[in-house]
């Protein structure tokens, strides 16, 4: 616990993660665009800094948890960004979900300044962040991974190094593809049942335990039946994640037709003002599709 | 066990099901287009009949297990079909996967002749058929369901009455939709991993246990990694089942875009000569799609 930790991005995910690090005894320098979100952490002993640069200057390891690639871009490469405060021996751990290309670019930049970087996106949501049970998918060097391990163990449970820089983000993208398409699978199955006059709750039960079974059938299937779409994980963010997956696929000449279709459904929901609903609300794009003359 | 059972359709599914009924002590009258497939059953005490009509005349309950709606059509409504041998008190149990519309038509025809009918499609494949562990999704009257229950208990484990005539077929269609689309989900996720240079086997492990987890990720994910596409469940049959689902959706004015796309992928595989591979071979339609200039 001799390393001083910087933590930038104290949103729904970042704040409880930083809180867990404090509780575990780490020394924390924190920054957030909206300063007020840092105050609860300050009461627990964290030091609030005015910029990513100041965080970097005060810390040995800098963790970032921001919403999207442009945010990470600004935090690291912007004026008063982390890299303006870089020094040899720095380790950057970007836990945001961003493009694999950004992860590789950050690792190169860190290397040029005598530091190192890991991409370490997570799954498990705000519950996992609060309870310290996140899954963490890591890309980067073995040495950096070992150095970060004590921190990861405070934040998560299922921690896997997937390969070199960018590999964590690619794994997260694959995860988001499978989750989105499994939601679409359950949505089409349950909607067919309901429209054909069969109780979709009984269909869900009949399917559970068979080949059609999935975590999504259990969790999101139930949300669909109850039409209870409080997040959870927002459609808006999942749409962004599928964009990352499709960009990654494009860059290797791969077509992902179902992922592309699911993203269109998400775009449609966002346009209709449903972007802040849970992603199980994808089922709404099916019912909105149905014939108005019925 | 006083009821005499007719069994028509002794294919990969029907033959082991009939065998289990024989072992359980039922009296069986059997018929199959290819007579030789009935002989093993005859050695165990079944009586081979020359037509569905003769089966009907000799039996109280008639079970059918044929590949597709036109086959069921011919077996029940054709010349020398079951209905030409109908009498009051007959119970028809069609365990084939056919359209819900056919199931309703058969139930009406049976009712007009003083009989009754159940649609009772199964899932669990040839292994479930041999081991007597099929899931059975049943549509039809409560009375008919109770009468059939001793038979169902010989053939399967998870036996659910879903509603009136056709409800079993609708449930099966929903199951086939969810299974097909979950296969597509896993195929897109694992292909993205592999093309982006990450070991798809490690990605599959990283995803297991999280929100992306499913029976398909476990079973079919493994088949995809090993490129081992022996059936299992044939692409050709799953394509037929998605056709049934899309027809059922059409009839209630519902669009199922992912199901439609998955069926196109299956058609493509059938055209390419892959119709007899396991449905996990859906992953091949992604890799065939990729840019030839890569």
């Amino acid at each position: 616990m001799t390393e001083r930790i910087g933590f930038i991005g104290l949103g729904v995910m970042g704040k409880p993660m930083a809180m867990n690090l404090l509780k575990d005894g780490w020394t924390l320098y924190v920054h957030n665009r909206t300063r007020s979100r840092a105050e609860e952490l300050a009461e627990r002993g964290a030091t609030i800094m005015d910029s990513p640069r100041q965080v970097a200057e005060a810390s040995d390891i800098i963790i970032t948890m921001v919403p999207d690639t442009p945010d990470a871009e600004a935090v690291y490469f912007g004026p008063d960004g982390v890299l303006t405060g870089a020094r040899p021996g720095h380790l950057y751990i970007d836990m945001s979900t961003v493009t694999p290309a950004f992860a590789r670019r950050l690792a190169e930049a860190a290397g040029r300044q005598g530091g190192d970087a890991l991409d370490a996106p997570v799954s498990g949501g705000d519950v996992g962040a609060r309870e310290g049970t996140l899954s963490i998918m890591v890309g980067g060097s073995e040495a950096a991974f070992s150095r970060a391990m004590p921190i990861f163990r405070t934040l998560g449970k299922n921690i896997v190094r997937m390969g070199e820089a960018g590999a964590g983000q690619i794994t997260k993208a694959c995860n988001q593809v499978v989750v989105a398409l499994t939601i679409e699978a359950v949505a089409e199955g349950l909607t067919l049942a309901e429209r054909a006059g069969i109780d979709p709750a009984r269909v869900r039960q009949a399917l559970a335990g068979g080949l059609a079974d999935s975590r999504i059938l259990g969790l999101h299937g139930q949300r669909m039946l109850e039409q209870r779409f409080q997040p959870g994980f927002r459609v808006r963010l999942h749409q962004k994640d599928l964009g990352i997956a499709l960009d990654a696929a494009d860059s290797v000449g791969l077509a992902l037709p179902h992922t592309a279709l699911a993203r269109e459904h998400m775009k449609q929901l966002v346009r209709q003002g449903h972007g802040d609903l849970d992603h199980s609300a994808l089922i709404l794009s099916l019912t909105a599709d149905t014939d108005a003359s019925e």
Side-chain angles (χ1 to χ4, degrees), chain A:
Chain A
M1 307 263 174
T2 55
E3 307 221 66
R4 296 162 302 167
I5 299 184
F7 204 113
I8 300 168
L10 304 168
V12 182
M13 296 294 293
K15 192 173 164 183
M17 290 165 70
M19 195 62 90
N20 284 336
L21 288 168
L22 280 175
K23 283 183 195 157
D24 219 29
W26 298 86
T27 303
L28 240 65
Y29 298 87
V30 300
H31 173 76
N32 195 57
R33 261 187 312 206
T34 312
R35 188 187 168 98
S36 60
R37 286 195 59 88
E39 271 152 22
E40 201 182 330
L41 293 162
E43 288 165 20
R44 300 284 199 120
T47 309
I48 302 182
M49 312 302 278
D50 285 331
S51 69
R53 176 188 190 131
Q54 287 182 15
V55 169
E57 286 169 349
S59 313
D60 304 304
I61 295 179
I62 294 94
I63 301 171
T64 48
M65 191 57 165
V66 297
D68 201 351
T69 308
D71 306 299
E73 189 83 38
V75 160
Y76 282 101
F77 293 93
D80 273 328
V82 167
L83 290 173
T84 63
R87 65 167 182 278
H90 258 174
L91 172 60
Y92 310 130
I93 308 177
D94 185 20
M95 304 190 76
S96 324
T97 295
V98 299
T99 64
F102 176 83
R104 287 187 286 262
R105 191 176 146 221
L106 177 61
E108 278 164 29
R112 275 196 303 275
Q113 300 187 294
D116 207 343
L118 294 170
D119 49 300
V122 304
S123 76
D126 55 332
V127 175
R130 275 198 302 278
E131 297 177 354
T133 56
L134 294 167
S135 291
I136 311 179
M137 295 153 262
V138 189
S141 71
E142 276 282 11
F145 182 69
S146 301
R147 184 175 166 197
M149 206 54 190
I151 293 172
F152 288 152
R153 269 198 282 260
T154 299
L155 301 174
K157 278 242 144 64
N158 187 18
I159 302 149
V160 203
R161 178 172 175 264
M162 297 302 300
E164 300 304 317
Q169 296 297 350
I170 288 165
T171 306
K172 176 73 188 281
C174 297
N175 185 74
Q176 296 304 79
V177 161
V178 176
V179 168
L181 299 187
T182 310
I183 292 174
E184 294 274 68
V186 170
E188 291 205 359
L190 294 185
T191 303
L192 174 57
E194 192 190 17
R195 294 296 304 271
I198 311 294
D199 178 4
R202 296 190 68 183
V203 170
R204 176 168 157 277
Q205 279 171 353
L207 268 49
L211 216 45
D213 206 5
S214 63
R215 285 285 292 276
I216 297 289
L217 181 71
L219 283 171
H220 297 67
Q222 188 58 35
R223 293 176 199 165
M224 291 174 194
L225 293 174
E226 295 174 3
Q227 300 269 308
R228 187 172 43 81
F229 299 129
Q230 297 96 315
F233 187 69
R234 290 170 206 275
V235 170
R236 190 186 303 287
L237 288 173
H238 209 152
Q239 182 202 338
K240 178 210 72 162
D241 292 352
L242 293 194
I244 291 171
L246 289 167
D247 282 352
D250 266 354
S251 73
V252 291
L254 175 67
L256 296 177
H258 286 284
T259 302
L261 179 54
R263 186 170 61 159
E264 292 306 304
H265 285 155
M266 290 176 180
K267 273 193 209 165
Q268 191 182 27
L269 287 174
V270 170
R271 265 198 310 272
Q272 291 167 344
H274 298 316
D276 289 320
L277 296 184
D278 182 70
H279 51 178
S280 55
L282 269 170
I283 197 171
L284 297 176
S285 56
L286 278 172
T287 40
D289 263 11
T290 53
D291 189 343
S293 69
E294 292 290 309

